[in-house]
Amino acid sequence: MSKLLQCSHITSTPQFTRTLSSVILTKPQLRHFQASPLCTKPRIFVCASPVQVTPFLPYLPDVSRGFKRTLSARAFDDSSPPNETLEKAQETETDSNAEGENTEAVEYPTGEFEYVEFGVWKKLGVKLRMLVALPWNRVRKGSVLTMKLRGQISDQLKSRFSSGLSLPQICENFMKAAYDPRISGIYLHIDSLNCGWGKVEEIRRHILDFKKSGKFIVGYVPTCQEKEYYLASACQEIYAPPSAYFSLYGLTVQASFLGGVLEKLGVEPQIQRIGKYKSAGDQLMRKTMSEENCEMLTAILDNIYGNWLERVSSTLGKKREDVESFVNDGVFQVERLKEEGWITNICYDDEVISMLKEKLGVQKDKKLPMVDYKKYSKVGKWTVGLSGGKDLVAVIRASGSISRVKSSLSSPSSGIVGEQIVEKIRSVRESKKYKAAIIRIDSPGGDALASDLMWREIRLLAASKPVVASMADVAASGGYYMAMAAGAIVAEDLTLTGSIGVVTGKFNLGNLYQKIGFNKEIISRGRFAELLAAEQRPFRPDEMELFAKSAQNAYRQFRDKAAFSRSMHVDKMEEVAQGRVWTGKDAASRGLVDAIGGFSRAIAIAKQKANIPQDRQVTLVELSRPSPTLPEILSGIGSSVIGVDRTLKELLQELTFSEGVQARMDGIMFQRLGESNYRSPLLSLIRDYLSSL
């Protein structure tokens, strides 16, 4: 069997500050788009590709602005014949150009949290609700909410039987605690985080919002690197034990290459590149980093590091140069961190709890009333007086790799299953009770067919009611494919997005087969019958030509639909496509994103588009609530009781659904320097390769 080439995964995806950006488009134009069927035989991968593109002047950002798009989804009606489709595209272009001249910029609301204290009657109502609350909604008065932020943080909701942290539940806990009269403050344990900068920024925003309530929030950091300190710096006080591991040494970005390994094995990756800056496949084909890839990764890393320096220096009240100098000194002594004002004091956990007792007037021999993350997540918003209004907004969460259908190995939270998302989108479109919808995306991509089917359904939904796409850590390639169908796209400053590109190829295993004495013979009918079956030989010239044409076709469809969705001329979309991964901030300045912010801003924009006053509460209806599996109920963890590791299950699922076109982002591995000391380079290399399959 021929082996598919795949792009590696992305880790530690970053995000920037919460500035307001917008894009003004004047006289949007669209090149004629001719729908042509994808070649289903060649295995094509739509992946990220490092490109450094000079900003296009007509699309420079203007603060807090957005733009309206007037194109209709009917231009891409797959049921239409090619000629009819082209005519519709031409008609749509003419209409959009005419309307574009009168298109006015949209001022998007910020969605910034404003703490408004409840009135007397509202407070009385909350007290009555707490008196009749169910046992799991009851919390002792004067309690301290404790949350341990450690490891992976999912963008999906978690069932009560699932372990791990959920970003929406963390954010909701901050909101409830701000208004809950039983909660005196928050004690935040921040340990080694394994999530992107998008989620980190969202949590940091809620920490700052919670402080507006006047309640205290204290951070405790036993191990601390850049992400952990980024969160801790938002707290009022930061404590660390004397033996704490502090390694604020800076950030690194790594790329692994298997070209030399495969060469020695006798494996030849045959890759057809499309686009000037296409780097997908570098991991398998090259031995060193390409100049374009280095340029792109350097730009992203500079954005992350620059944002961290700027925000931390602002929090500490220091100059950016002083903070950078401190990092370059390689400080690890906790005592010096205290002297320089980076932490409040050096204390053990029990000593911090004693200080909280004193703060709250609890006797030393008494136990500090505390409620943990898991129990407080069960407390309903209704109990603390935060129930929504009559207007309903649907929320569809799409996290993980994209596949078209569900595998027998899939767990409820194993990724994005296209057919399930399509069903949810259709249910929202067919229902009259929803005023708007928010598509929350945290995905590097996956199956291109599934991405296109979801794109179509989101376009149809957007034609009937307002749809806003909200990006978390990553919404690239297939993830961006979904987002671009929405009426407005909201991303964090350092969300990784874009990645509009294609690469196709296969492995030539002829030399390997010869080394091990293996032989394979094929009897075929049809000129290109052996296109994928004959992995024991290289492509013939005509086969390579077919591969190139099919890849070009897939790329044009992706690029042209992106131009269509974003009301952008195809030539301008070409400048920002070619597989280039952009940060949210850079994407906004190039017309790929409408606004910079988090989930709260997406809600505000949805309310604006649905003509709901900003001061009116809405009820968010989550349509992606997970159903716990039997192993999760029995073990309380995501992995199976019978010993099937989740990572292996996801890998097998990826292999099962690797047929056809893939819209997946290239592998970019962001690491902090301290992590590399505890990892085997060879194991990391193998892990990166396997995760890219």
Side-chain angles (χ1 to χ4, degrees):
M1 280 307 251
S2 59
K3 187 66 176 173
L4 287 181
L5 304 186
Q6 192 69 281
C7 303
S8 63
H9 72 302
I10 184 157
T11 60
S12 296
T13 52
Q15 109 183 336
F16 229 51
T17 55
R18 192 185 175 190
T19 37
L20 307 181
S21 296
S22 75
V23 181
I24 297 179
L25 296 183
T26 59
K27 302 179 68 174
Q29 297 178 337
L30 180 68
R31 176 176 290 180
H32 299 161
F33 176 88
Q34 183 171 4
S36 56
L38 289 174
C39 179
T40 57
K41 273 291 182 183
R43 302 177 183 183
I44 302 171
F45 306 88
V46 184
C47 309
S49 159
V51 182
Q52 183 63 47
V53 181
T54 305
F56 175 56
L57 292 180
Y59 293 87
L60 289 178
D62 184 21
V63 177
S64 299
R65 297 284 178 183
F67 59 90
K68 294 180 179 177
R69 295 189 298 281
T70 56
L71 299 181
S72 169
R74 60 188 175 87
F76 292 94
D77 188 351
D78 294 335
S79 62
S80 304
N83 291 337
E84 182 181 347
T85 303
L86 178 57
E87 291 174 3
K88 289 183 177 182
Q90 292 172 337
E91 179 185 349
T92 305
E93 175 186 2
T94 303
D95 295 342
S96 64
N97 288 342
E99 294 173 2
E101 296 179 0
N102 299 322
T103 299
E104 297 180 358
V106 179
E107 178 112 12
Y108 288 128
T110 64
E112 186 175 353
F113 173 77
E114 294 182 7
Y115 180 79
V116 180
E117 192 171 351
F118 289 160
V120 176
W121 291 108
K122 186 69 177 281
K123 288 181 179 179
L124 180 60
V126 170
K127 289 182 179 180
L128 291 175
R129 293 178 185 181
M130 291 178 177
L131 287 175
V132 298
L134 296 171
W136 52 82
N137 282 330
R138 293 178 182 175
V139 177
R140 285 185 58 186
K141 185 174 179 59
S143 293
V144 175
L145 171 60
T146 62
M147 291 194 288
K148 294 184 179 180
L149 303 182
R150 177 192 303 149
Q152 293 186 351
I153 299 177
S154 171
D155 200 64
Q156 293 280 5
L157 292 170
K158 295 278 189 179
S159 70
R160 66 176 60 186
F161 301 104
S162 300
S163 63
L165 297 172
S166 165
L167 179 65
Q169 288 168 342
I170 290 172
C171 296
E172 184 176 288
N173 281 353
F174 276 112
M175 184 71 68
K176 291 185 297 188
Y179 284 96
D180 194 337
R182 302 167 298 181
I183 299 297
S184 301
I186 295 179
Y187 183 28
L188 206 59
H189 281 245
I190 306 171
D191 213 327
S192 300
L193 295 171
N194 185 19
C195 65
W197 287 90
K199 296 186 181 76
V200 171
E201 183 67 28
E202 189 84 49
I203 296 173
R204 191 177 197 273
R205 186 180 294 118
H206 277 80
I207 292 175
L208 296 174
D209 289 343
F210 174 81
K211 289 165 67 176
K212 296 177 182 178
S213 67
K215 299 178 180 180
F216 69 83
I217 180 166
V218 173
Y220 184 74
V221 282
T223 62
C224 188
Q225 294 179 316
E226 284 72 23
K227 285 180 184 175
E228 292 77 20
Y229 191 79
Y230 190 72
L231 283 183
S233 64
C235 299
Q236 293 169 333
E237 299 174 4
I238 307 173
Y239 297 97
S243 55
Y245 292 127
F246 268 82
S247 52
L248 303 176
Y249 302 148
L251 300 169
T252 64
V253 57
Q254 301 180 13
S256 304
F257 301 95
L258 291 167
V261 177
L262 296 178
E263 182 180 309
K264 291 183 177 181
L265 291 174
V267 177
E268 178 193 4
Q270 291 192 296
I271 297 175
Q272 176 63 45
R273 293 170 179 268
I274 298 176
K276 182 178 178 181
Y277 301 99
K278 193 67 198 167
S279 73
D282 277 4
Q283 188 179 30
L284 299 172
M285 191 174 179
R286 295 180 60 92
K287 299 178 183 178
T288 59
M289 188 181 296
S290 67
E291 182 179 344
E292 295 81 11
N293 194 20
C294 180
E295 183 180 356
M296 194 261 303
L297 295 182
T298 300
I300 293 178
L301 185 61
D302 286 342
N303 281 334
I304 303 169
Y305 191 51
N307 171 70
W308 189 87
L309 290 173
E310 196 167 317
R311 298 298 288 270
V312 169
S313 60
S314 175
T315 302
L316 297 177
K318 299 177 180 291
K319 293 181 180 179
R320 172 174 169 154
E321 295 76 14
D322 295 337
V323 172
E324 188 169 12
S325 176
F326 185 86
V327 170
N328 291 334
D329 285 344
V331 177
F332 60 89
Q333 301 94 335
V334 183
E335 293 78 10
R336 186 173 170 189
L337 288 165
K338 178 186 175 183
E339 293 172 2
E340 297 283 346
W342 285 66
I343 62 175
T344 306
N345 205 348
I346 303 172
C347 299
Y348 286 104
D349 177 56
D350 63 285
E351 294 176 312
V352 177
I353 292 177
S354 297
M355 286 188 291
L356 293 179
K357 284 183 180 180
E358 185 178 350
K359 180 190 289 284
L360 298 176
V362 178
Q363 297 180 7
K364 292 183 179 181
D365 58 341
K366 298 292 184 180
K367 189 175 181 180
L368 180 68
M370 304 173 79
V371 56
D372 62 18
Y373 159 82
K374 193 164 187 177
K375 181 178 180 181
Y376 199 67
S377 295
K378 299 175 185 177
V379 175
K381 295 172 68 176
W382 177 86
T383 305
V384 297
L386 293 177
S387 54
K390 296 181 179 179
D391 297 316
L392 304 182
V393 176
V395 178
I396 301 175
R397 297 184 181 272
S399 301
S401 182
I402 299 173
S403 59
R404 188 168 58 89
V405 296
K406 186 176 181 180
S407 164
S408 58
L409 296 172
S410 300
S411 65
S413 57
S414 61
I416 302 171
V417 180
E419 62 180 8
Q420 294 179 347
I421 297 295
V422 165
E423 289 178 5
K424 291 181 173 67
I425 295 171
R426 286 179 180 172
S427 68
V428 175
R429 175 162 57 92
E430 294 167 359
S431 175
K432 295 182 179 179
K433 64 181 181 180
Y434 299 112
K435 295 294 184 68
I438 298 174
I439 312 293
R440 177 71 172 180
I441 303 171
D442 188 24
S443 171
D447 186 276
L449 174 57
S451 302
D452 185 60
L453 296 177
M454 290 186 288
W455 173 86
R456 173 65 175 174
E457 291 298 328
I458 296 173
R459 290 290 303 182
L460 294 175
L461 175 60
S464 63
K465 57 192 65 179
V467 179
V468 178
S470 173
M471 298 177 173
D473 290 336
V474 180
S477 242
Y480 184 75
Y481 209 133
M482 296 175 60
M484 68 189 190
I489 301 176
V490 182
E492 297 287 0
D493 257 319
L494 290 186
T495 293
L496 294 187
T497 188
S499 185
I500 304 168
V502 171
V503 65
T504 180
K506 73 166 188 177
F507 285 130
N508 171 22
L509 305 178
N511 290 334
L512 175 62
Y513 286 175
Q514 186 176 2
K515 287 181 180 181
I516 63 177
F518 179 79
N519 182 41
K520 179 178 180 179
E521 296 182 4
I522 301 174
I523 300 175
S524 62
R525 295 292 182 271
R527 180 181 175 186
F528 297 107
E530 298 182 15
L531 187 69
L532 299 178
E535 80 280 358
Q536 79 279 10
R537 62 169 176 81
F539 283 127
R540 300 190 310 260
D542 59 337
E543 290 175 331
M544 181 61 77
E545 182 181 358
L546 177 63
F547 244 58
K549 288 181 179 179
S550 63
Q552 286 283 357
N553 178 66
Y555 174 71
R556 282 195 300 269
Q557 290 206 31
F558 192 178
R559 179 203 61 193
D560 292 356
K561 284 188 177 181
F564 167 77
S565 300
R566 299 301 300 168
S567 301
M568 188 183 297
H569 195 285
V570 172
D571 291 341
K572 299 307 175 186
M573 178 58 69
E574 178 68 16
E575 294 181 15
V576 299
Q578 302 187 54
R580 175 69 157 96
V581 180
W582 301 99
T583 61
K585 181 180 180 181
D586 290 341
S589 68
R590 289 162 174 81
L592 298 177
V593 168
D594 297 304
I596 297 298
F599 190 67
S600 59
R601 190 168 197 198
I603 296 173
I605 294 174
K607 289 165 68 174
Q608 180 194 50
K609 288 180 171 291
N611 297 318
I612 301 173
Q614 292 296 317
D615 58 352
R616 184 188 300 175
Q617 294 293 322
V618 295
T619 297
L620 301 179
V621 181
E622 295 277 355
L623 300 182
S624 304
R625 289 188 175 274
S627 301
T629 61
L630 180 60
E632 288 178 323
I633 296 175
L634 295 176
S635 63
I637 60 176
S639 57
S640 171
V641 173
I642 60 175
V644 182
D645 183 79
R646 176 185 293 274
T647 302
L648 178 59
K649 289 172 66 180
E650 292 179 351
L651 174 59
L652 291 173
Q653 182 183 350
E654 289 294 321
L655 290 171
T656 303
F657 290 94
S658 57
E659 297 290 340
V661 180
Q662 293 284 299
R664 189 183 304 276
M665 191 175 66
D666 246 357
I668 305 173
M669 185 168 58
F670 290 96
Q671 268 192 336
R672 288 161 294 196
L673 190 59
E675 294 180 353
S676 12
N677 296 331
Y678 307 102
R679 292 181 178 174
S680 165
L682 180 59
L683 290 177
S684 296
L685 192 67
I686 295 173
R687 182 207 60 194
D688 294 335
Y689 171 57
L690 289 177
S691 65
S692 72
L693 296 175

